[in-house]
Amino acid sequence: MMLNALKSLLPHDSSIKVAGIASSGPEAERIYEQLHPDVVVMDIYMKPITGLETTKNILKQHPEAKILGLSNAWSNADSEELLNIGGRGYIVKTAPLDAIVGCIKKVYAGELCFEADDFKS
């Protein structure tokens, strides 16, 4: 559901283009290798390999990658782990879509975007 919402919203923002979509960690790694997108929006809890593990794998090969973690619920532990491994942001799926887009833009600009205070629910 979230993927569909993002896919429908992002094309309306002329500054953001969806370069690829992955439904698993290995697929995300392959797509990153092929496309080298400016920002990756990574589902932290995807299966069979988590988004945290996939982020580690991508950053080992491409330390310049800008990865924004997306989660069902706020987790201090997950957001801290993502930051420690080199992730650039973390936001919950329940945040307003414009906040998610804003976070994508911050990460693209080289800023960190860990939206703990406003969107923990």
Side-chain angles (χ1 to χ4, degrees), residues 35-111:
L35 302 176
H36 295 278
D38 294 325
V39 176
V40 174
V41 179
M42 181 77 68
D43 185 339
I44 295 300
Y45 295 114
M46 73 178 153
K47 305 275 184 195
I49 299 171
T50 69
L52 290 171
E53 189 63 34
T54 302
T55 296
K56 286 180 196 174
N57 293 342
I58 290 173
L59 289 170
K60 277 183 196 171
Q61 299 298 315
H62 305 280
E64 75 286 357
K66 296 176 181 175
I67 300 178
L68 169 63
L70 192 63
S71 179
N72 288 326
W74 184 264
S75 165
N76 286 333
D78 288 341
S79 64
E80 287 174 19
E81 182 177 355
L82 186 63
L83 179 62
N84 289 337
I85 63 176
R88 305 298 298 165
Y90 181 97
I91 193 166
V92 294
K93 294 176 182 179
T94 55
L97 289 173
D98 62 332
I100 295 172
V101 169
C103 212
I104 292 169
K105 289 179 178 182
K106 281 183 179 179
V107 169
Y108 173 75
E111 300 173 37

Side-chain angles (χ1 to χ4, degrees), residues 15-32:
S15 66
I16 297 176
K17 177 183 172 199
V18 177
I21 297 171
S23 57
S24 70
E27 185 179 16
E29 290 178 44
R30 282 192 301 276
I31 288 174
Y32 188 89

